[in-house]
Amino acid sequence: ERRSTWCCLAWTLLVATVNLLVFLMNLLLMFVIFTIVLLPTIVVVYFGFQCHSQVLHSAAHYCKSFLDDNSSSALIILGFVIMSPLIVVAMAIYCSLARRLRLFLCFQPYSRAVYKGVKWCRYEEGGLCSCARGWNTQVKAWV
């Protein structure tokens, strides 16, 4: 049965809010994972730019003692070279974690707002976003 216009509008706002919160939760998780995995690259590139005379030329002790322009350039190049594999690793970690936690099943369709009596997925089995009741978790995407 279809909802009335005002009720449909209120439920649409609720579903949109839930979907926005789930999106922000996914974005926060992705940001944390990428920050942790890319931390070596961030540190290496930071020190490379910090000590290079053409960029920032810091007066810090480690810049005067250990790093000249050639070694600073080497750090910058090394940082950008190791960035590509670390991005792939970070994305693989995020995707496996999102699949294991079934985060993409937390998004609710807008039919919840239009029709009465449609159950919310996450409450059907009692778990968070576990609306895949009979799913085989061993099924691969390429099968």
Side-chain angles (χ1 to χ4, degrees):
E1 179 180 344
R2 292 185 64 91
R3 296 183 191 272
S4 67
T5 304
W6 290 106
C7 188
C8 182
L9 180 63
W11 277 95
T12 301
L13 289 175
L14 179 70
V15 169
T17 304
V18 168
N19 286 342
L20 181 66
L21 289 174
V22 169
F23 172 75
L24 291 176
M25 182 179 67
N26 278 306
L27 197 64
L28 178 68
L29 180 66
M30 186 183 298
F31 176 76
V32 167
I33 290 172
F34 271 74
T35 302
I36 291 171
V37 172
L38 291 175
L39 191 61
T41 297
I42 294 168
V43 169
V44 167
V45 170
Y46 171 76
F47 281 117
F49 279 122
Q50 183 77 25
C51 295
H52 199 282
S53 66
Q54 298 288 325
V55 184
L56 294 176
H57 194 59
S58 175
H61 174 68
Y62 55 85
C63 289
K64 292 178 180 178
S65 302
F66 300 113
L67 298 174
D68 58 353
D69 281 350
N70 291 334
S71 57
S72 296
S73 297
L75 282 179
I76 294 169
I77 292 169
L78 176 69
F80 284 113
V81 166
I82 65 173
M83 186 184 301
S84 297
L86 289 179
I87 288 175
V88 172
V89 168
M91 196 63 201
I93 290 171
Y94 169 73
C95 288
S96 67
L97 189 61
R99 183 173 184 255
R100 180 170 299 211
L101 296 176
R102 298 181 180 184
L103 294 179
F104 298 118
L105 294 177
C106 294
F107 289 105
Q108 298 296 323
Y110 285 101
S111 63
R112 306 265 189 263
V114 177
Y115 299 106
K116 291 181 182 177
V118 180
K119 294 180 181 176
W120 289 76
C121 265
R122 70 174 139 230
Y123 297 126
E124 289 178 4
E125 282 187 11
L128 178 67
C129 304
S130 58
C131 55
R133 186 174 299 173
W135 285 19
N136 183 2
T137 58
Q138 300 300 322
V139 174
K140 303 293 182 196
W142 56 83
V143 174

